[in-house]
Amino acid sequence: QYRIFPRRSEKLAELIGVTLGDGNIFQFDRCQRLMISCNSAYRKYIEHIYHLVKGVFKKEPCIAKRTGANCYDVRLYMQDIDKTLGLPVGNKIKNKVAIPAWIFKKKEYLIRCLKGLFETDGHYGLNKKFYVEYIQFCNKSNSLRESVFRALVSLGYSPQLGNSYVRLAKKAQVHKFFNEVGFVRPFPSLMKGWNILGCRPMVGHENLGLAIM
């Protein structure tokens, strides 16, 4: 199935962020596959990814429980997925992926792309004794970390760039980031009575209400 490329939008920007994080584009002889892996515990987030993919590509993806793993894969098969997303097929580190330039041109695009990135490869940390908070994006791709760092700076944040992470460590900026982005996926460190930012985990492996392979 050939794809007419969608207009640039907030949904497209978010899906690009998700794909840069936990997604992969694989090339077959006659089509490509987009696969996004999601933790089995986060039902609401899996449903969100399903509808996000469907909204961008105008085609229903499938959801499959991965054998022997605590995750579901949201999969889409069609032509020109790489052209639609503007991302390369294959290994993201070798291809030196980064946030596409057009996303930097509009604040709303940038926030939605960061939402996708942090919901896939993000971590929230809290030290109860010293009340130190941080949120960080962890990824092995140098080019991707550098573009995330640049994105946060352009939005007025003061991130730290490490060898494996980009981190916001000022409490006020952490709170501002959560409020500005509006995450769907819960963060585990917010699950134990420290739900200061309104995130609620989806516990257990409830039925998704969608077609599961």
Side-chain angles (χ1 to χ4, degrees):
Q1 181 178 350
Y2 184 77
R3 173 65 190 147
I4 298 174
F5 307 131
R7 292 182 178 181
R8 293 171 178 176
S9 66
E10 293 179 28
K11 285 185 177 181
L12 179 58
E14 181 179 346
L15 183 56
I16 288 171
V18 170
T19 305
L20 286 170
D22 277 347
N24 178 265
I25 303 172
F26 185 83
Q27 181 69 54
F28 293 100
D29 289 339
R30 297 185 178 181
C31 71
Q32 295 177 343
R33 180 190 68 197
L34 171 64
M35 185 168 74
I36 300 167
S37 301
C38 307
N39 190 304
S40 299
Y42 303 146
R43 184 188 68 177
K44 184 178 179 181
Y45 182 64
I46 297 170
E47 292 178 348
H48 174 72
I49 295 299
Y50 170 89
H51 290 293
L52 184 64
V53 173
K54 182 180 177 181
V56 169
F57 288 97
K58 310 303 179 186
K59 180 181 179 181
E60 288 194 27
C62 62
I63 301 176
K65 180 70 170 67
R66 191 183 301 181
T67 303
N70 186 33
C71 74
Y72 284 93
D73 293 322
V74 179
R75 300 171 183 169
L76 179 76
Y77 295 85
M78 64 187 305
Q79 295 179 4
D80 297 320
I81 293 174
D82 57 340
K83 294 182 177 65
T84 300
L85 298 179
L87 300 176
V89 171
N91 188 287
K92 290 177 287 188
I93 295 176
K94 290 181 179 179
N95 287 318
K96 297 182 179 179
V97 297
I99 298 173
W102 66 266
I103 291 178
F104 282 88
K105 296 180 180 180
K106 190 173 181 179
K107 179 181 178 180
E108 290 78 8
Y109 294 163
L110 203 50
I111 290 173
R112 288 291 289 273
C113 185
L114 288 172
K115 176 180 182 293
L117 286 160
F118 275 82
E119 284 188 329
T120 51
D121 283 347
H123 170 74
Y124 169 82
L126 173 65
N127 185 309
K128 294 182 180 180
K129 182 177 180 181
F130 299 103
Y131 199 50
V132 175
E133 297 178 67
Y134 66 89
I135 184 169
Q136 64 185 19
F137 171 78
C138 298
N139 196 281
K140 295 180 180 180
S141 170
N142 293 330
S143 57
L144 183 55
R145 288 198 313 275
E146 289 170 0
S147 69
V148 170
F149 177 84
R150 186 160 60 93
L152 289 169
V153 170
S154 71
L155 292 173
Y157 292 96
S158 303
Q160 303 168 356
L161 179 61
N163 291 329
S164 61
Y165 64 84
V166 181
R167 177 183 297 160
L168 294 177
K170 295 181 179 180
K171 183 172 67 174
Q173 291 198 358
V174 172
H175 290 205
K176 177 186 175 183
F177 188 64
F178 268 87
N179 290 329
E180 190 168 33
V181 172
F183 292 109
V184 174
R185 195 214 85 184
F187 287 79
S189 295
L190 291 173
M191 296 170 69
K192 300 178 180 179
W194 284 82
N195 195 10
I196 57 175
L197 301 171
C199 296
R200 292 293 183 189
M202 301 298 294
V203 180
H205 294 192
E206 301 94 336
N207 292 328
L208 297 177
L210 301 171
I212 308 297
M213 294 180 64

PDB file of all heavy atoms in Angstrom, residues 38-72:
ATOM      1  N   CYS A  38       6.205  -1.388  23.671  1.00  0.00           N
ATOM      2  CA  CYS A  38       5.601  -0.728  24.826  1.00  0.00           C
ATOM      3  C   CYS A  38       5.541  -1.684  26.017  1.00  0.00           C
ATOM      4  O   CYS A  38       5.217  -2.859  25.852  1.00  0.00           O
ATOM      5  CB  CYS A  38       4.177  -0.259  24.503  1.00  0.00           C
ATOM      6  SG  CYS A  38       4.008   0.753  23.023  1.00  0.00           S
ATOM      7  N   ASN A  39       5.820  -1.177  27.192  1.00  0.00           N
ATOM      8  CA  ASN A  39       5.723  -1.971  28.417  1.00  0.00           C
ATOM      9  C   ASN A  39       4.291  -2.460  28.611  1.00  0.00           C
ATOM     10  O   ASN A  39       3.336  -1.698  28.493  1.00  0.00           O
ATOM     11  CB  ASN A  39       6.153  -1.119  29.615  1.00  0.00           C
ATOM     12  CG  ASN A  39       6.306  -1.927  30.891  1.00  0.00           C
ATOM     13  OD1 ASN A  39       5.386  -2.603  31.332  1.00  0.00           O
ATOM     14  ND2 ASN A  39       7.482  -1.845  31.487  1.00  0.00           N
ATOM     15  N   SER A  40       4.144  -3.742  28.924  1.00  0.00           N
ATOM     16  CA  SER A  40       2.820  -4.355  29.047  1.00  0.00           C
ATOM     17  C   SER A  40       1.962  -3.721  30.137  1.00  0.00           C
ATOM     18  O   SER A  40       0.731  -3.788  30.086  1.00  0.00           O
ATOM     19  CB  SER A  40       2.962  -5.857  29.342  1.00  0.00           C
ATOM     20  OG  SER A  40       3.639  -6.516  28.304  1.00  0.00           O
ATOM     21  N   ALA A  41       2.592  -3.115  31.137  1.00  0.00           N
ATOM     22  CA  ALA A  41       1.847  -2.562  32.266  1.00  0.00           C
ATOM     23  C   ALA A  41       1.096  -1.289  31.922  1.00  0.00           C
ATOM     24  O   ALA A  41       0.172  -0.903  32.641  1.00  0.00           O
ATOM     25  CB  ALA A  41       2.805  -2.288  33.427  1.00  0.00           C
ATOM     26  N   TYR A  42       1.471  -0.643  30.815  1.00  0.00           N
ATOM     27  CA  TYR A  42       0.936   0.684  30.536  1.00  0.00           C
ATOM     28  C   TYR A  42      -0.140   0.618  29.447  1.00  0.00           C
ATOM     29  O   TYR A  42       0.087   0.978  28.297  1.00  0.00           O
ATOM     30  CB  TYR A  42       2.068   1.628  30.131  1.00  0.00           C
ATOM     31  CG  TYR A  42       3.167   1.742  31.158  1.00  0.00           C
ATOM     32  CD1 TYR A  42       4.491   1.916  30.764  1.00  0.00           C
ATOM     33  CD2 TYR A  42       2.893   1.656  32.514  1.00  0.00           C
ATOM     34  CE1 TYR A  42       5.507   2.038  31.706  1.00  0.00           C
ATOM     35  CE2 TYR A  42       3.897   1.753  33.457  1.00  0.00           C
ATOM     36  CZ  TYR A  42       5.206   1.943  33.050  1.00  0.00           C
ATOM     37  OH  TYR A  42       6.204   2.041  33.972  1.00  0.00           O
ATOM     38  N   ARG A  43      -1.322   0.146  29.831  1.00  0.00           N
ATOM     39  CA  ARG A  43      -2.400  -0.052  28.871  1.00  0.00           C
ATOM     40  C   ARG A  43      -2.778   1.244  28.155  1.00  0.00           C
ATOM     41  O   ARG A  43      -2.942   1.270  26.938  1.00  0.00           O
ATOM     42  CB  ARG A  43      -3.635  -0.620  29.572  1.00  0.00           C
ATOM     43  CG  ARG A  43      -4.783  -0.942  28.627  1.00  0.00           C
ATOM     44  CD  ARG A  43      -6.035  -1.323  29.381  1.00  0.00           C
ATOM     45  NE  ARG A  43      -6.580  -0.191  30.105  1.00  0.00           N
ATOM     46  CZ  ARG A  43      -7.711  -0.251  30.810  1.00  0.00           C
ATOM     47  NH1 ARG A  43      -8.367  -1.386  30.905  1.00  0.00           N
ATOM     48  NH2 ARG A  43      -8.153   0.819  31.425  1.00  0.00           N
ATOM     49  N   LYS A  44      -2.942   2.304  28.915  1.00  0.00           N
ATOM     50  CA  LYS A  44      -3.365   3.581  28.328  1.00  0.00           C
ATOM     51  C   LYS A  44      -2.350   4.065  27.296  1.00  0.00           C
ATOM     52  O   LYS A  44      -2.714   4.617  26.252  1.00  0.00           O
ATOM     53  CB  LYS A  44      -3.551   4.622  29.424  1.00  0.00           C
ATOM     54  CG  LYS A  44      -4.081   5.959  28.932  1.00  0.00           C
ATOM     55  CD  LYS A  44      -4.275   6.923  30.096  1.00  0.00           C
ATOM     56  CE  LYS A  44      -4.778   8.279  29.603  1.00  0.00           C
ATOM     57  NZ  LYS A  44      -4.941   9.239  30.729  1.00  0.00           N
ATOM     58  N   TYR A  45      -1.074   3.853  27.585  1.00  0.00           N
ATOM     59  CA  TYR A  45      -0.034   4.303  26.669  1.00  0.00           C
ATOM     60  C   TYR A  45      -0.029   3.470  25.383  1.00  0.00           C
ATOM     61  O   TYR A  45       0.148   4.005  24.289  1.00  0.00           O
ATOM     62  CB  TYR A  45       1.334   4.239  27.343  1.00  0.00           C
ATOM     63  CG  TYR A  45       2.461   4.728  26.463  1.00  0.00           C
ATOM     64  CD1 TYR A  45       2.510   6.055  26.047  1.00  0.00           C
ATOM     65  CD2 TYR A  45       3.460   3.856  26.032  1.00  0.00           C
ATOM     66  CE1 TYR A  45       3.522   6.509  25.226  1.00  0.00           C
ATOM     67  CE2 TYR A  45       4.485   4.309  25.219  1.00  0.00           C
ATOM     68  CZ  TYR A  45       4.511   5.626  24.818  1.00  0.00           C
ATOM     69  OH  TYR A  45       5.516   6.077  23.991  1.00  0.00           O
ATOM     70  N   ILE A  46      -0.233   2.162  25.506  1.00  0.00           N
ATOM     71  CA  ILE A  46      -0.292   1.307  24.322  1.00  0.00           C
ATOM     72  C   ILE A  46      -1.444   1.737  23.421  1.00  0.00           C
ATOM     73  O   ILE A  46      -1.304   1.830  22.194  1.00  0.00           O
ATOM     74  CB  ILE A  46      -0.441  -0.180  24.724  1.00  0.00           C
ATOM     75  CG1 ILE A  46       0.780  -0.640  25.521  1.00  0.00           C
ATOM     76  CG2 ILE A  46      -0.614  -1.065  23.489  1.00  0.00           C
ATOM     77  CD1 ILE A  46       0.620  -2.011  26.157  1.00  0.00           C
ATOM     78  N   GLU A  47      -2.597   2.017  24.025  1.00  0.00           N
ATOM     79  CA  GLU A  47      -3.738   2.500  23.249  1.00  0.00           C
ATOM     80  C   GLU A  47      -3.430   3.833  22.583  1.00  0.00           C
ATOM     81  O   GLU A  47      -3.825   4.086  21.438  1.00  0.00           O
ATOM     82  CB  GLU A  47      -4.958   2.632  24.158  1.00  0.00           C
ATOM     83  CG  GLU A  47      -5.490   1.306  24.669  1.00  0.00           C
ATOM     84  CD  GLU A  47      -6.670   1.478  25.611  1.00  0.00           C
ATOM     85  OE1 GLU A  47      -6.929   2.626  26.043  1.00  0.00           O
ATOM     86  OE2 GLU A  47      -7.324   0.476  25.926  1.00  0.00           O
ATOM     87  N   HIS A  48      -2.713   4.690  23.300  1.00  0.00           N
ATOM     88  CA  HIS A  48      -2.332   5.994  22.746  1.00  0.00           C
ATOM     89  C   HIS A  48      -1.447   5.832  21.514  1.00  0.00           C
ATOM     90  O   HIS A  48      -1.660   6.496  20.494  1.00  0.00           O
ATOM     91  CB  HIS A  48      -1.605   6.805  23.823  1.00  0.00           C
ATOM     92  CG  HIS A  48      -1.042   8.094  23.329  1.00  0.00           C
ATOM     93  ND1 HIS A  48      -1.833   9.185  23.014  1.00  0.00           N
ATOM     94  CD2 HIS A  48       0.239   8.473  23.064  1.00  0.00           C
ATOM     95  CE1 HIS A  48      -1.071  10.177  22.592  1.00  0.00           C
ATOM     96  NE2 HIS A  48       0.184   9.775  22.613  1.00  0.00           N
ATOM     97  N   ILE A  49      -0.467   4.933  21.585  1.00  0.00           N
ATOM     98  CA  ILE A  49       0.420   4.693  20.449  1.00  0.00           C
ATOM     99  C   ILE A  49      -0.354   4.110  19.271  1.00  0.00           C
ATOM    100  O   ILE A  49      -0.148   4.493  18.111  1.00  0.00           O
ATOM    101  CB  ILE A  49       1.576   3.747  20.844  1.00  0.00           C
ATOM    102  CG1 ILE A  49       2.468   4.416  21.895  1.00  0.00           C
ATOM    103  CG2 ILE A  49       2.403   3.351  19.617  1.00  0.00           C
ATOM    104  CD1 ILE A  49       3.128   5.696  21.436  1.00  0.00           C
ATOM    105  N   TYR A  50      -1.260   3.182  19.557  1.00  0.00           N
ATOM    106  CA  TYR A  50      -2.104   2.591  18.511  1.00  0.00           C
ATOM    107  C   TYR A  50      -2.846   3.688  17.742  1.00  0.00           C
ATOM    108  O   TYR A  50      -2.830   3.728  16.510  1.00  0.00           O
ATOM    109  CB  TYR A  50      -3.084   1.611  19.147  1.00  0.00           C
ATOM    110  CG  TYR A  50      -4.167   1.111  18.216  1.00  0.00           C
ATOM    111  CD1 TYR A  50      -3.974  -0.021  17.429  1.00  0.00           C
ATOM    112  CD2 TYR A  50      -5.392   1.780  18.129  1.00  0.00           C
ATOM    113  CE1 TYR A  50      -4.972  -0.481  16.579  1.00  0.00           C
ATOM    114  CE2 TYR A  50      -6.394   1.329  17.286  1.00  0.00           C
ATOM    115  CZ  TYR A  50      -6.178   0.203  16.517  1.00  0.00           C
ATOM    116  OH  TYR A  50      -7.169  -0.233  15.679  1.00  0.00           O
ATOM    117  N   HIS A  51      -3.504   4.582  18.457  1.00  0.00           N
ATOM    118  CA  HIS A  51      -4.291   5.631  17.816  1.00  0.00           C
ATOM    119  C   HIS A  51      -3.398   6.689  17.158  1.00  0.00           C
ATOM    120  O   HIS A  51      -3.782   7.282  16.148  1.00  0.00           O
ATOM    121  CB  HIS A  51      -5.231   6.274  18.830  1.00  0.00           C
ATOM    122  CG  HIS A  51      -6.348   5.379  19.268  1.00  0.00           C
ATOM    123  ND1 HIS A  51      -7.346   4.974  18.406  1.00  0.00           N
ATOM    124  CD2 HIS A  51      -6.612   4.788  20.467  1.00  0.00           C
ATOM    125  CE1 HIS A  51      -8.192   4.182  19.052  1.00  0.00           C
ATOM    126  NE2 HIS A  51      -7.761   4.047  20.300  1.00  0.00           N
ATOM    127  N   LEU A  52      -2.213   6.897  17.714  1.00  0.00           N
ATOM    128  CA  LEU A  52      -1.274   7.844  17.114  1.00  0.00           C
ATOM    129  C   LEU A  52      -0.815   7.346  15.745  1.00  0.00           C
ATOM    130  O   LEU A  52      -0.818   8.098  14.756  1.00  0.00           O
ATOM    131  CB  LEU A  52      -0.069   8.047  18.039  1.00  0.00           C
ATOM    132  CG  LEU A  52       0.975   9.087  17.618  1.00  0.00           C
ATOM    133  CD1 LEU A  52       0.368  10.485  17.596  1.00  0.00           C
ATOM    134  CD2 LEU A  52       2.172   9.043  18.578  1.00  0.00           C
ATOM    135  N   VAL A  53      -0.429   6.076  15.666  1.00  0.00           N
ATOM    136  CA  VAL A  53       0.000   5.480  14.395  1.00  0.00           C
ATOM    137  C   VAL A  53      -1.147   5.489  13.393  1.00  0.00           C
ATOM    138  O   VAL A  53      -0.980   5.863  12.220  1.00  0.00           O
ATOM    139  CB  VAL A  53       0.524   4.040  14.619  1.00  0.00           C
ATOM    140  CG1 VAL A  53       0.807   3.357  13.283  1.00  0.00           C
ATOM    141  CG2 VAL A  53       1.788   4.057  15.480  1.00  0.00           C
ATOM    142  N   LYS A  54      -2.320   5.087  13.838  1.00  0.00           N
ATOM    143  CA  LYS A  54      -3.489   5.065  12.964  1.00  0.00           C
ATOM    144  C   LYS A  54      -3.825   6.458  12.448  1.00  0.00           C
ATOM    145  O   LYS A  54      -4.173   6.646  11.272  1.00  0.00           O
ATOM    146  CB  LYS A  54      -4.688   4.488  13.718  1.00  0.00           C
ATOM    147  CG  LYS A  54      -5.952   4.383  12.879  1.00  0.00           C
ATOM    148  CD  LYS A  54      -7.106   3.807  13.697  1.00  0.00           C
ATOM    149  CE  LYS A  54      -8.396   3.771  12.887  1.00  0.00           C
ATOM    150  NZ  LYS A  54      -9.535   3.236  13.696  1.00  0.00           N
ATOM    151  N   GLY A  55      -3.698   7.464  13.308  1.00  0.00           N
ATOM    152  CA  GLY A  55      -4.019   8.825  12.909  1.00  0.00           C
ATOM    153  C   GLY A  55      -3.072   9.387  11.874  1.00  0.00           C
ATOM    154  O   GLY A  55      -3.485  10.128  10.977  1.00  0.00           O
ATOM    155  N   VAL A  56      -1.811   9.056  11.978  1.00  0.00           N
ATOM    156  CA  VAL A  56      -0.812   9.572  11.032  1.00  0.00           C
ATOM    157  C   VAL A  56      -0.891   8.843   9.696  1.00  0.00           C
ATOM    158  O   VAL A  56      -0.880   9.463   8.628  1.00  0.00           O
ATOM    159  CB  VAL A  56       0.614   9.464  11.633  1.00  0.00           C
ATOM    160  CG1 VAL A  56       1.670   9.741  10.564  1.00  0.00           C
ATOM    161  CG2 VAL A  56       0.779  10.443  12.792  1.00  0.00           C
ATOM    162  N   PHE A  57      -0.981   7.516   9.732  1.00  0.00           N
ATOM    163  CA  PHE A  57      -0.913   6.719   8.505  1.00  0.00           C
ATOM    164  C   PHE A  57      -2.277   6.363   7.905  1.00  0.00           C
ATOM    165  O   PHE A  57      -2.336   5.806   6.805  1.00  0.00           O
ATOM    166  CB  PHE A  57      -0.124   5.431   8.767  1.00  0.00           C
ATOM    167  CG  PHE A  57       1.346   5.646   8.936  1.00  0.00           C
ATOM    168  CD1 PHE A  57       1.908   5.756  10.203  1.00  0.00           C
ATOM    169  CD2 PHE A  57       2.185   5.756   7.833  1.00  0.00           C
ATOM    170  CE1 PHE A  57       3.275   5.957  10.364  1.00  0.00           C
ATOM    171  CE2 PHE A  57       3.546   5.955   7.979  1.00  0.00           C
ATOM    172  CZ  PHE A  57       4.090   6.065   9.255  1.00  0.00           C
ATOM    173  N   LYS A  58      -3.360   6.661   8.641  1.00  0.00           N
ATOM    174  CA  LYS A  58      -4.706   6.343   8.155  1.00  0.00           C
ATOM    175  C   LYS A  58      -4.862   4.851   7.874  1.00  0.00           C
ATOM    176  O   LYS A  58      -5.563   4.434   6.954  1.00  0.00           O
ATOM    177  CB  LYS A  58      -5.051   7.149   6.899  1.00  0.00           C
ATOM    178  CG  LYS A  58      -4.796   8.640   7.034  1.00  0.00           C
ATOM    179  CD  LYS A  58      -5.547   9.248   8.210  1.00  0.00           C
ATOM    180  CE  LYS A  58      -5.262  10.738   8.337  1.00  0.00           C
ATOM    181  NZ  LYS A  58      -5.854  11.340   9.548  1.00  0.00           N
ATOM    182  N   LYS A  59      -4.211   4.070   8.669  1.00  0.00           N
ATOM    183  CA  LYS A  59      -4.288   2.612   8.553  1.00  0.00           C
ATOM    184  C   LYS A  59      -4.125   2.012   9.941  1.00  0.00           C
ATOM    185  O   LYS A  59      -3.281   2.467  10.721  1.00  0.00           O
ATOM    186  CB  LYS A  59      -3.188   2.086   7.620  1.00  0.00           C
ATOM    187  CG  LYS A  59      -3.197   0.573   7.440  1.00  0.00           C
ATOM    188  CD  LYS A  59      -2.069   0.104   6.532  1.00  0.00           C
ATOM    189  CE  LYS A  59      -2.075  -1.411   6.383  1.00  0.00           C
ATOM    190  NZ  LYS A  59      -0.955  -1.881   5.526  1.00  0.00           N
ATOM    191  N   GLU A  60      -4.916   0.985  10.258  1.00  0.00           N
ATOM    192  CA  GLU A  60      -4.857   0.387  11.585  1.00  0.00           C
ATOM    193  C   GLU A  60      -3.610  -0.478  11.744  1.00  0.00           C
ATOM    194  O   GLU A  60      -3.381  -1.387  10.943  1.00  0.00           O
ATOM    195  CB  GLU A  60      -6.101  -0.466  11.842  1.00  0.00           C
ATOM    196  CG  GLU A  60      -7.371   0.344  12.051  1.00  0.00           C
ATOM    197  CD  GLU A  60      -8.485  -0.498  12.642  1.00  0.00           C
ATOM    198  OE1 GLU A  60      -8.176  -1.484  13.335  1.00  0.00           O
ATOM    199  OE2 GLU A  60      -9.647  -0.161  12.407  1.00  0.00           O
ATOM    200  N   PRO A  61      -2.810  -0.212  12.781  1.00  0.00           N
ATOM    201  CA  PRO A  61      -1.699  -1.119  13.085  1.00  0.00           C
ATOM    202  C   PRO A  61      -2.221  -2.329  13.841  1.00  0.00           C
ATOM    203  O   PRO A  61      -3.389  -2.375  14.243  1.00  0.00           O
ATOM    204  CB  PRO A  61      -0.799  -0.262  13.981  1.00  0.00           C
ATOM    205  CG  PRO A  61      -1.761   0.647  14.693  1.00  0.00           C
ATOM    206  CD  PRO A  61      -2.870   0.936  13.707  1.00  0.00           C
ATOM    207  N   CYS A  62      -1.372  -3.313  14.027  1.00  0.00           N
ATOM    208  CA  CYS A  62      -1.723  -4.456  14.865  1.00  0.00           C
ATOM    209  C   CYS A  62      -0.925  -4.377  16.157  1.00  0.00           C
ATOM    210  O   CYS A  62       0.114  -3.720  16.226  1.00  0.00           O
ATOM    211  CB  CYS A  62      -1.445  -5.775  14.146  1.00  0.00           C
ATOM    212  SG  CYS A  62       0.284  -6.047  13.709  1.00  0.00           S
ATOM    213  N   ILE A  63      -1.444  -5.021  17.188  1.00  0.00           N
ATOM    214  CA  ILE A  63      -0.768  -5.070  18.482  1.00  0.00           C
ATOM    215  C   ILE A  63      -0.489  -6.524  18.808  1.00  0.00           C
ATOM    216  O   ILE A  63      -1.402  -7.359  18.776  1.00  0.00           O
ATOM    217  CB  ILE A  63      -1.625  -4.439  19.592  1.00  0.00           C
ATOM    218  CG1 ILE A  63      -1.953  -2.980  19.256  1.00  0.00           C
ATOM    219  CG2 ILE A  63      -0.900  -4.523  20.934  1.00  0.00           C
ATOM    220  CD1 ILE A  63      -2.874  -2.327  20.263  1.00  0.00           C
ATOM    221  N   ALA A  64       0.750  -6.840  19.114  1.00  0.00           N
ATOM    222  CA  ALA A  64       1.143  -8.227  19.378  1.00  0.00           C
ATOM    223  C   ALA A  64       1.904  -8.317  20.693  1.00  0.00           C
ATOM    224  O   ALA A  64       2.805  -7.521  20.962  1.00  0.00           O
ATOM    225  CB  ALA A  64       2.014  -8.760  18.243  1.00  0.00           C
ATOM    226  N   LYS A  65       1.518  -9.285  21.525  1.00  0.00           N
ATOM    227  CA  LYS A  65       2.249  -9.566  22.761  1.00  0.00           C
ATOM    228  C   LYS A  65       3.510 -10.324  22.397  1.00  0.00           C
ATOM    229  O   LYS A  65       3.463 -11.363  21.734  1.00  0.00           O
ATOM    230  CB  LYS A  65       1.403 -10.417  23.706  1.00  0.00           C
ATOM    231  CG  LYS A  65       2.092 -10.768  25.031  1.00  0.00           C
ATOM    232  CD  LYS A  65       2.236  -9.546  25.916  1.00  0.00           C
ATOM    233  CE  LYS A  65       2.692  -9.942  27.331  1.00  0.00           C
ATOM    234  NZ  LYS A  65       4.065 -10.486  27.368  1.00  0.00           N
ATOM    235  N   ARG A  66       4.652  -9.802  22.791  1.00  0.00           N
ATOM    236  CA  ARG A  66       5.912 -10.453  22.450  1.00  0.00           C
ATOM    237  C   ARG A  66       6.154 -11.653  23.354  1.00  0.00           C
ATOM    238  O   ARG A  66       6.098 -11.546  24.591  1.00  0.00           O
ATOM    239  CB  ARG A  66       7.080  -9.476  22.563  1.00  0.00           C
ATOM    240  CG  ARG A  66       8.366 -10.020  21.962  1.00  0.00           C
ATOM    241  CD  ARG A  66       9.533  -9.082  22.142  1.00  0.00           C
ATOM    242  NE  ARG A  66       9.308  -7.765  21.539  1.00  0.00           N
ATOM    243  CZ  ARG A  66      10.203  -6.787  21.565  1.00  0.00           C
ATOM    244  NH1 ARG A  66      11.375  -6.980  22.162  1.00  0.00           N
ATOM    245  NH2 ARG A  66       9.924  -5.614  21.022  1.00  0.00           N
ATOM    246  N   THR A  67       6.438 -12.783  22.771  1.00  0.00           N
ATOM    247  CA  THR A  67       6.650 -14.012  23.525  1.00  0.00           C
ATOM    248  C   THR A  67       7.876 -13.897  24.430  1.00  0.00           C
ATOM    249  O   THR A  67       8.950 -13.487  23.984  1.00  0.00           O
ATOM    250  CB  THR A  67       6.846 -15.211  22.569  1.00  0.00           C
ATOM    251  OG1 THR A  67       5.708 -15.305  21.705  1.00  0.00           O
ATOM    252  CG2 THR A  67       6.996 -16.516  23.354  1.00  0.00           C
ATOM    253  N   GLY A  68       7.687 -14.225  25.697  1.00  0.00           N
ATOM    254  CA  GLY A  68       8.793 -14.234  26.646  1.00  0.00           C
ATOM    255  C   GLY A  68       9.264 -12.871  27.080  1.00  0.00           C
ATOM    256  O   GLY A  68      10.338 -12.744  27.674  1.00  0.00           O
ATOM    257  N   ALA A  69       8.487 -11.829  26.805  1.00  0.00           N
ATOM    258  CA  ALA A  69       8.882 -10.471  27.185  1.00  0.00           C
ATOM    259  C   ALA A  69       7.683  -9.732  27.747  1.00  0.00           C
ATOM    260  O   ALA A  69       6.536 -10.008  27.393  1.00  0.00           O
ATOM    261  CB  ALA A  69       9.450  -9.727  25.984  1.00  0.00           C
ATOM    262  N   ASN A  70       7.961  -8.795  28.612  1.00  0.00           N
ATOM    263  CA  ASN A  70       6.911  -8.016  29.255  1.00  0.00           C
ATOM    264  C   ASN A  70       6.582  -6.785  28.418  1.00  0.00           C
ATOM    265  O   ASN A  70       6.692  -5.645  28.881  1.00  0.00           O
ATOM    266  CB  ASN A  70       7.356  -7.606  30.665  1.00  0.00           C
ATOM    267  CG  ASN A  70       6.236  -6.925  31.436  1.00  0.00           C
ATOM    268  OD1 ASN A  70       5.065  -7.243  31.264  1.00  0.00           O
ATOM    269  ND2 ASN A  70       6.604  -5.970  32.269  1.00  0.00           N
ATOM    270  N   CYS A  71       6.204  -7.009  27.163  1.00  0.00           N
ATOM    271  CA  CYS A  71       5.913  -5.875  26.295  1.00  0.00           C
ATOM    272  C   CYS A  71       4.965  -6.266  25.169  1.00  0.00           C
ATOM    273  O   CYS A  71       4.819  -7.446  24.839  1.00  0.00           O
ATOM    274  CB  CYS A  71       7.193  -5.275  25.718  1.00  0.00           C
ATOM    275  SG  CYS A  71       7.964  -6.241  24.416  1.00  0.00           S
ATOM    276  N   TYR A  72       4.329  -5.260  24.627  1.00  0.00           N
ATOM    277  CA  TYR A  72       3.540  -5.378  23.410  1.00  0.00           C
ATOM    278  C   TYR A  72       4.250  -4.612  22.298  1.00  0.00           C
ATOM    279  O   TYR A  72       4.896  -3.589  22.558  1.00  0.00           O
ATOM    280  CB  TYR A  72       2.143  -4.780  23.597  1.00  0.00           C
ATOM    281  CG  TYR A  72       1.191  -5.629  24.397  1.00  0.00           C
ATOM    282  CD1 TYR A  72       1.055  -5.457  25.765  1.00  0.00           C
ATOM    283  CD2 TYR A  72       0.412  -6.598  23.771  1.00  0.00           C
ATOM    284  CE1 TYR A  72       0.171  -6.222  26.498  1.00  0.00           C
ATOM    285  CE2 TYR A  72      -0.477  -7.378  24.502  1.00  0.00           C
ATOM    286  CZ  TYR A  72      -0.593  -7.182  25.871  1.00  0.00           C
ATOM    287  OH  TYR A  72      -1.466  -7.949  26.598  1.00  0.00           O
TER     288      TYR A  72
END
